[in-house]
């Protein structure tokens, strides 16, 4: 799937039905969260509510074009790729040969791989592979009794089908091994679906050897998007790439059928090393060694550890790598393909290249990560590791994990003391003694449990920060163990032991917390993170993405720098600021990235430049744009079975002025998933642009019937109703949106302004004052309160709010002028000379 979740015209970041709860099958393939977009004030009059959707992006664009054009980046240096290695995948020149062919020469590696979880990631269901109890076992879940049984050597489950009625299904495949195993059902249209009743494969002594449901605390009925028969439990899209080798999804949007294939049913050698035919040919020709690594016929040599040693710095007694790490960490990018939260944009994955060439990576965002970067949802390891001090120092995956067995290179925390020996093991460092003292992993890699039974360790390798639990509300390793104690207690102990300045490597938590809580200093804190070259690129990209909500000269400068940043994640985040901008000014900024070495950047540039008048371009530029647009469309058609991609394709058609195609794509998205509410919101907005508000209102009402608790739908409906001169009904819908999502300050603000527009001035002020308590310093709320107080003749209150506004943005000259004017008016009203 392509880069983004869909959004609504008011820029509500919505993830669709899949993200209302974690998708346990493969959240790594779930669409990543969208950044918020910057918007200026929503102007609401007596007759209408109108969103000014492009002004902020226009501000950024104007600020950018006042400088020089952005140069093309040289981001992928030769250290990150094998320039002379075979460059084509899935072609006639390169072919998969199968793991057993590889193992015929690499027998030691084969012995490690055969018992591994990779080797058992997926298998045909038979007596050797099925771990669950199919001896007529039953499992009850909210009134549905599922029965697991065998017949004629095959495995079956009787459970609720697509219509909620009990049906019998043959289990075709097993999925995973430990600590749980899922089971896959094949349907006649080529879909393969993952049952959400799974087998706990842990020992009975650990609570295992039982059937359990992946959503134990809520009823997932047949009409829920997370029901096992529905889109969000679909193996073809959600799971196949990471559990098999050489997968081709082969979805036909015309027939809505799949012909998904694989080269190897499980995760074999070529899942990581790429097609092996050239290497086999090299071996058959004698396999002579060469100074040129590429002579081995491999797509990538995972040789980052070759010739590398670690030693202790005399001054700090900390490990230091004998040589700087490569610009592109081949192992990390390879492992991140599956061990990261991302969406696929191309099946032409090339080992050793940037992950962004074939996938779009989810950055630090609300709902996925905690503000300090700790995992919250199922983000796996890639994003966590890339924000870590370990990654910055040059540690790579196989320093700790054997790549063929996937096991640690040493038991437990001994893998840490490979490098961190000596004082780190002493009570003087841990301040704990005895057999139950925590080890390195417990303190620096705290675990969170997903899929009910699967404990996963956070790979951001951070020092415990209970003080951040106090100020930011994040987790900390101390109270994970000392659950009867408070974060304040733990913070006091840490400060006593190590002093007040022991802050660790990840210091960006306050910036994201400020952004996610609408704090007045959010823009400055985010900009400082984005500008700091010592901050990991993954974090800088995340901060730059968050800055879309804060257009300013400083933000524009950060975007300018970001467009030519060596890291593709930063370039993508910078491009994100320009989505609502159009016109010839966009071309010199974005066009250089049409030739970017990373596909993800190229297709984002193509999306932004779609619709550029051909007559304004040279023949060479038209060819460059058409080539990149072709890649963009191909990325969406690869995932034409997903509403997110259909919606993104619709937005592309809007940019090109092909509104009929855009309408058709939005409708297809809703056919694929009627619960994917952003498509309904954006289809309604498309109708608004065409003067078809009545049809838009009908679309929104129908969507609300299916998703009655979606605040974004009510917000969009309220705007549409007011435009249709149904002010009272519209403001009521806006109120419902604010009620459903009170933490979304935009909804509360618009509702307050809407109340004022229909004459309910007192209620409007009360709503906004209540919102101000939760969002102190919010510019929109304060500006509205200034205006409302002035309109009511309460100049003293208007002045008080203006002074609060000045604290939120002390550099704004307009606010200073406003305070001076109000001060004079107050003094005149009092009769002062």
């Amino acid at each position: 799937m392509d880069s983004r979740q869909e959004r609504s015209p008011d820029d509500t970041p919505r993830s669709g039905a899949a993200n209302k709860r974690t998708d346990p099958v493969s959240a790594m393939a779930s669409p990543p969260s969208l950044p918020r977009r910057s918007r200026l004030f929503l102007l609401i009059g007596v007759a209408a509510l109108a969103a000014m959707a492009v002004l902020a992006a226009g501000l950024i664009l104007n600020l950018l074009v006042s400088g020089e054009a952005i140069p093309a980046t040289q981001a992928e240096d030769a250290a990150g790729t094998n320039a002379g290695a075979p460059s084509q995948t899935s072609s006639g020149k390169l072919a998969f040969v199968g793991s057993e062919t590889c193992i015929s020469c690499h027998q030691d590696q084969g012995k490690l791989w055969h018992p591994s979880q990779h080797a058992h990631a997926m298998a045909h269901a038979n007596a050797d592979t099925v771990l669950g109890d199919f001896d007529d076992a039953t499992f009850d879940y909210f009134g549905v009794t599922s029965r697991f049984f065998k017949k004629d050597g095959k495995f079956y489950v009787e459970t609720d089908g697509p219509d909620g009625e009990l049906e019998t299904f043959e289990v075709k495949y097993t999925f995973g091994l430990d600590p749980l195993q899922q089971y896959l059902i094949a349907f006649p249209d080529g879909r393969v679906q993952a049952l959400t009743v799974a087998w706990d494969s842990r020992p009975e002594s650990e609570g295992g050897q039982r059937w359990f449901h992946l959503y134990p605390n809520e009823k997932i009925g047949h009409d829920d998007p997370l029901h096992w028969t529905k889109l969000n439990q679909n193996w073809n899209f959600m799971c196949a790439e990471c559990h098999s080798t050489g997968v081709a999804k082969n979805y036909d949007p015309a027939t809505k059928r799949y012909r998904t294939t694989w080269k190897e049913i499980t995760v074999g050698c070529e899942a990581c090393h790429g097609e092996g035919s050239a290497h086999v040919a090299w071996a058959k020709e004698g396999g002579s060694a060469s100074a040129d690594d590429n002579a081995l016929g491999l797509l990538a040599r995972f040789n980052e550890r070759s010739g590398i040693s670690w030693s202790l710095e005399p001054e700090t007694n900390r490990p230091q790598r004998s040589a700087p790490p490569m610009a592109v960490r081949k192992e990390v990018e390879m492992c991140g393909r599956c061990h990261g939260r991302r969406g696929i944009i191309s099946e032409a994955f090339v080992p050793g290249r940037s992950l962004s060439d074939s996938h779009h990576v989810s950055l630090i965002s609300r709902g996925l990560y905690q503000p300090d970067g700790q995992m919250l949802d199922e983000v796996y390891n890639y994003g966590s590791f890339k924000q870590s001090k370990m990654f910055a120092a040059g540690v790579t995956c196989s320093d700790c994990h054997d790549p063929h067995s996937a096991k640690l290179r040493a038991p437990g925390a001994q893998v840490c003391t490979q490098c961190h020996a000596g004082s780190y093991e002493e009570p003087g460092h841990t301040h704990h003694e005895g057999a139950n003292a925590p080890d390195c992993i417990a303190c620096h890699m705290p675990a969170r449990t997903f899929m009910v039974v699967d404990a996963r360790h956070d790979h951001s390798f951070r020092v415990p920060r209970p003080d951040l639990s106090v100020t930011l509300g994040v987790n900390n390793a101390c109270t994970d163990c000392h659950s009867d104690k408070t974060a304040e207690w733990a913070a006091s102990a840490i400060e006593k032991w190590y002093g007040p300045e022991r802050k660790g490597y990840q210091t960006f938590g306050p910036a994201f917390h400020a952004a996610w809580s609408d704090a007045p200093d959010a823009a400055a804190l985010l900009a400082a993170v984005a500008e700091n070259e010592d901050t990991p690129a993954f974090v800088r990209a995340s901060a730059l993405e968050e800055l879309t909500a804060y257009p300013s000269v400083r933000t524009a400068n950060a975007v300018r720098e970001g467009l030519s940043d060596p890291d593709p994640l930063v370039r993508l985040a910078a491009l994100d600021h320009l989505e609502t901008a159009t016109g010839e000014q966009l071309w010199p900024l974005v066009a250089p990235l049409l030739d970017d070495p990373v596909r993800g950047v190229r297709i984002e540039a193509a999306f932004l430049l779609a619709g550029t008048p051909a007559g304004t371009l040279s023949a060479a530029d038209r060819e460059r744009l058409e080539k990149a647009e072709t890649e963009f469309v191909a990325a969406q058609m690869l995932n034409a079975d997903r509403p997110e991609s259909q919606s993104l394709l619709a937005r592309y058609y809007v940019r090109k002025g092909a509104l009929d195609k855009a309408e058709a794509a939005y409708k297809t998205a809703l056919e694929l998933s009627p619960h994917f509410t952003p498509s309904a919101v954006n289809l309604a907005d498309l109708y608004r642009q065409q003067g078809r508000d009545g049809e838009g209102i009908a679309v929104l009402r129908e969507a609300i019937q299916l998703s009655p608790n979606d605040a974004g739908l009510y917000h969009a409906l309220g705007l549409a109703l007011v435009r249709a001169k149904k002010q009272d009904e519209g403001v009521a819908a806006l109120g419902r949106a604010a009620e459903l999502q009170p933490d979304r300050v935009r909804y509360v603000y618009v509702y307050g302004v809407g109340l004022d527009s229909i004459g309910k001035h007192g209620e409007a002020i009360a709503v906004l004052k209540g919102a101000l308590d939760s969002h102190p310093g919010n510019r929109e709320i304060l500006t509205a309160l200034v205006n409302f107080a002035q309109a009511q003749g309460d100049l003293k209150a208007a002045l008080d709010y203006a002074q609060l506004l000045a604290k939120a943005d002390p550099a704004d000259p307009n606010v200073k002028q406003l305070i001076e004017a109000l001060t004079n008016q107050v003094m005149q009203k009092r009769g002062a000379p």
Side-chain angles (χ1 to χ4, degrees):
M1 190 189 66
D2 191 67
S3 55
R4 298 146 293 228
Q5 292 172 337
E6 182 56 18
R7 75 202 64 197
S8 64
D10 70 295
D11 292 312
T12 304
R14 279 194 284 289
S15 60
N19 276 32
K20 72 175 180 179
R21 292 151 290 187
T22 299
D23 180 352
V25 181
S26 184
M28 67 182 75
S30 298
S33 293
L34 279 175
R36 294 177 301 160
R37 296 291 176 195
S38 50
R39 290 292 182 265
L40 298 187
F41 293 122
L42 188 67
L43 304 179
I44 304 180
V46 174
L49 299 166
M52 300 176 68
V54 300
L55 295 182
L59 171 59
I60 289 294
L61 181 62
N62 290 333
L63 291 168
L64 283 169
V65 299
S66 62
E68 299 176 359
I70 301 300
T73 182
Q74 301 294 325
E76 295 267 309
D77 62 22
T81 60
N82 285 333
S87 60
Q88 301 175 24
T89 60
S90 303
S91 68
K93 294 183 179 180
L94 290 174
F96 289 93
V97 299
S99 293
E100 294 309 318
T101 299
C102 304
I103 291 170
S104 65
C105 290
H106 302 281
Q107 295 180 11
D108 290 343
Q109 288 81 3
K111 290 177 182 178
L112 293 168
W113 173 78
H114 269 299
S116 73
Q117 295 230 33
H118 283 160
H120 296 275
M122 181 172 171
H124 294 282
N126 57 48
D128 294 327
T129 60
V130 172
L131 301 178
D133 180 4
F134 279 79
D135 291 330
D136 211 30
T138 59
F139 176 78
D140 293 324
Y141 172 77
F142 285 96
V144 175
T145 300
S146 299
R147 183 169 68 95
F148 300 86
F149 63 97
K150 292 178 285 188
K151 182 179 180 182
D152 300 328
K154 296 182 179 181
F155 295 81
Y156 295 89
V157 57
E158 182 184 58
T159 192
D160 55 333
D163 59 359
E165 299 297 321
L166 289 180
E167 295 183 49
T168 297
F169 302 91
E170 181 185 353
V171 172
K172 296 291 290 186
Y173 308 102
T174 64
F175 211 60
L177 196 66
D178 178 70
L180 71 154
Q181 186 175 71
Q182 287 185 266
Y183 300 97
L184 304 180
I185 310 296
F187 282 78
D189 58 3
R191 285 182 301 128
V192 177
Q193 299 292 129
L195 285 170
T196 45
V197 178
W199 178 253
D200 185 342
S201 56
R202 299 174 302 166
E204 190 172 356
S205 60
E206 298 178 14
Q209 300 301 298
R210 64 186 178 105
W211 291 104
F212 71 100
H213 201 282
L214 295 172
Y215 303 100
N217 300 319
E218 55 182 323
K219 181 179 180 180
I220 305 296
H222 71 280
D223 55 351
D224 192 293
L226 290 179
H227 190 259
W228 76 270
T229 62
K230 295 298 190 287
L231 191 69
N232 291 316
Q233 306 294 351
N234 172 244
W235 165 89
N236 309 72
F237 166 78
M238 300 294 291
C239 323
E241 182 192 23
C242 290
H243 282 254
S244 300
T245 303
V247 172
K249 184 166 62 172
N250 293 327
Y251 174 74
D252 183 354
T255 62
K256 297 181 174 59
R257 299 178 68 89
Y258 295 91
R259 293 183 299 103
T260 304
T261 62
W262 59 68
K263 298 299 182 181
E264 194 166 354
I265 192 172
T266 193
V267 179
C269 306
E270 292 160 293
C272 299
H273 293 282
E275 293 96 319
S277 57
H279 180 62
V280 170
W282 167 83
K284 288 182 177 179
E285 290 171 1
S288 60
S290 168
D292 180 5
D293 286 343
N294 302 322
L296 279 65
L298 293 168
L299 285 162
R301 294 288 308 279
F302 295 111
N303 56 358
E304 292 164 292
R305 300 176 70 240
S306 298
I308 296 298
S309 62
W310 291 83
S311 60
L312 296 180
E313 287 183 310
E315 299 83 5
T316 64
N317 204 36
R318 292 176 179 171
Q320 183 178 37
R321 201 174 192 267
S322 60
M326 294 179 176
V328 177
R329 313 291 181 81
K330 293 182 288 186
E331 283 188 5
V332 176
E333 300 303 291
M334 173 64 246
C335 297
R337 181 191 186 189
C338 293
H339 295 277
R341 185 70 173 251
R342 82 293 175 274
I344 185 171
I345 59 176
S346 175
E347 291 176 341
F349 175 81
V350 180
R353 296 209 64 189
S354 166
L355 183 58
S356 296
D357 191 57
S358 54
H359 295 76
H360 193 91
V361 177
S362 297
L363 299 175
I364 296 173
S365 59
R366 66 188 81 196
L368 294 184
Y369 291 87
Q370 299 181 53
D372 65 342
Q374 291 187 75
M375 61 186 184
L376 179 62
D377 203 351
E378 291 187 276
V379 293
Y380 306 92
N381 309 129
Y382 177 82
S384 299
F385 186 57
K386 291 196 76 170
Q387 57 172 285
S388 72
K389 190 174 184 179
M390 294 288 193
F391 177 80
V395 174
T396 191
C397 305
S398 64
D399 281 315
C400 300
H401 299 270
D402 180 89
H404 299 102
S405 69
K407 293 182 178 180
L408 290 175
R409 289 192 175 275
Q414 292 180 36
V415 75
C416 307
T417 55
Q418 290 180 116
C419 297
H420 299 283
S423 62
Y424 291 102
E425 299 176 276
E426 299 299 324
H429 175 72
T430 66
H431 292 270
H432 291 75
E433 297 187 59
N436 295 323
D439 60 12
C440 311
I441 295 172
C443 290
H444 299 289
M445 299 181 69
R448 299 286 176 260
T449 299
F450 301 97
M451 298 180 77
V452 182
V453 299
D454 192 2
R456 303 176 193 169
H457 291 280
D458 194 311
H459 278 61
S460 55
F461 298 99
R462 62 186 64 242
V463 300
R465 290 291 304 275
D467 59 308
L468 293 184
S469 299
V470 177
T471 58
L472 309 183
V474 298
N475 293 124
N476 74 87
C478 302
T479 54
D480 280 353
C481 289
H482 299 280
S483 57
D484 59 330
K485 303 291 187 180
T486 65
E488 289 83 357
W489 169 86
S492 176
I494 291 290
E495 183 172 345
K496 179 181 178 181
W497 293 339
Y498 301 109
E501 298 303 319
R502 188 175 182 270
K503 301 305 180 188
Y505 185 69
Q506 294 93 348
T507 59
F508 49 82
F512 289 98
H513 181 265
W516 300 350
S517 60
D518 297 301
D521 58 348
L525 291 173
L526 288 170
V529 173
E531 294 163 351
N532 187 350
E533 294 184 358
D534 293 331
T535 299
F538 183 82
V539 179
R540 289 191 290 113
S542 303
L544 187 56
E545 189 173 81
E546 286 287 342
L547 277 171
T548 55
Y550 305 97
S552 68
V553 172
R554 189 176 182 183
T555 296
N557 289 334
V559 171
R560 172 175 295 282
E561 293 297 320
L563 288 171
S564 56
D565 192 273
D567 195 286
L569 291 177
V570 180
R571 301 200 295 279
L572 284 163
L575 287 171
D576 211 29
H577 284 253
L578 302 173
E579 180 169 337
T580 54
T582 57
E584 295 180 5
Q585 290 180 323
L586 197 57
W587 179 268
L589 292 168
V590 178
L593 297 177
L594 292 172
D595 305 311
D596 197 275
V598 175
R599 179 187 285 105
V601 179
R602 292 195 301 272
I603 68 173
E604 178 72 7
F607 172 76
L608 291 173
L609 295 173
T612 303
T616 65
L617 304 178
S618 67
D621 283 342
R622 285 198 300 271
E623 183 178 353
R624 294 169 59 225
L625 179 55
E626 289 172 3
K627 182 179 179 181
E629 284 190 72
T630 298
E631 285 189 298
F632 171 83
V633 173
Q636 310 326 310
M637 295 312 295
L638 171 63
N639 297 299
D641 55 332
R642 297 296 301 184
E644 302 90 353
S645 288
Q646 289 288 349
S647 294
L648 186 53
L649 194 61
R651 285 162 47 208
Y652 165 77
Y653 286 134
V654 169
R655 296 182 79 85
K656 292 185 73 70
L659 300 188
D660 289 347
K661 289 184 177 180
E663 180 179 355
Y666 279 135
K667 287 182 175 179
T668 299
L670 289 171
E671 289 173 6
L672 289 167
S673 178
H675 294 271
F676 189 68
T677 58
S679 290
V681 173
N682 279 4
L683 178 58
D685 189 62
L686 179 64
Y687 288 149
R688 175 194 60 78
Q689 297 172 41
Q690 299 173 305
R692 301 161 63 186
D693 254 330
E695 293 176 70
I697 289 171
V699 167
L700 293 169
R701 290 193 189 281
E702 183 176 352
I704 286 172
Q705 291 296 314
L706 293 170
S707 303
N709 295 316
D710 189 291
L713 288 174
Y714 281 99
H715 184 76
L717 178 62
L719 295 175
L721 288 169
V722 173
R723 285 193 300 269
K725 302 188 185 305
K726 300 180 180 179
Q727 285 87 356
D728 289 345
E729 188 180 359
V731 172
L734 294 173
R736 179 60 175 152
E739 178 186 2
L740 286 169
Q741 199 170 348
D743 60 330
R744 183 66 197 266
V745 65
R746 163 66 59 165
Y747 292 167
V748 181
Y749 163 74
V750 171
Y751 174 49
V753 179
L755 285 169
D756 184 75
S757 72
I758 60 173
K760 297 184 177 182
H761 309 299
E763 290 183 43
I765 291 175
V767 165
L768 293 177
K769 287 176 69 175
L772 191 63
D773 292 337
S774 303
H775 305 277
N778 182 271
R779 288 178 54 84
E780 290 180 321
I781 294 174
L782 286 170
T783 300
L785 285 170
V786 169
N787 293 334
F788 293 170
Q790 279 184 298
Q792 294 290 311
D794 190 347
L795 298 177
K796 177 63 171 62
L799 178 59
D800 291 341
Y801 291 128
Q803 289 171 337
L804 290 174
L805 195 57
K807 291 182 180 180
D809 191 356
D812 190 335
N814 295 324
V815 176
K816 293 180 180 179
Q817 293 175 13
L818 174 64
I819 290 175
E820 290 177 4
L822 286 170
T823 300
N824 290 333
Q825 292 177 42
V826 170
M827 293 177 68
Q828 290 173 8
K829 189 174 182 179
R830 291 175 177 172

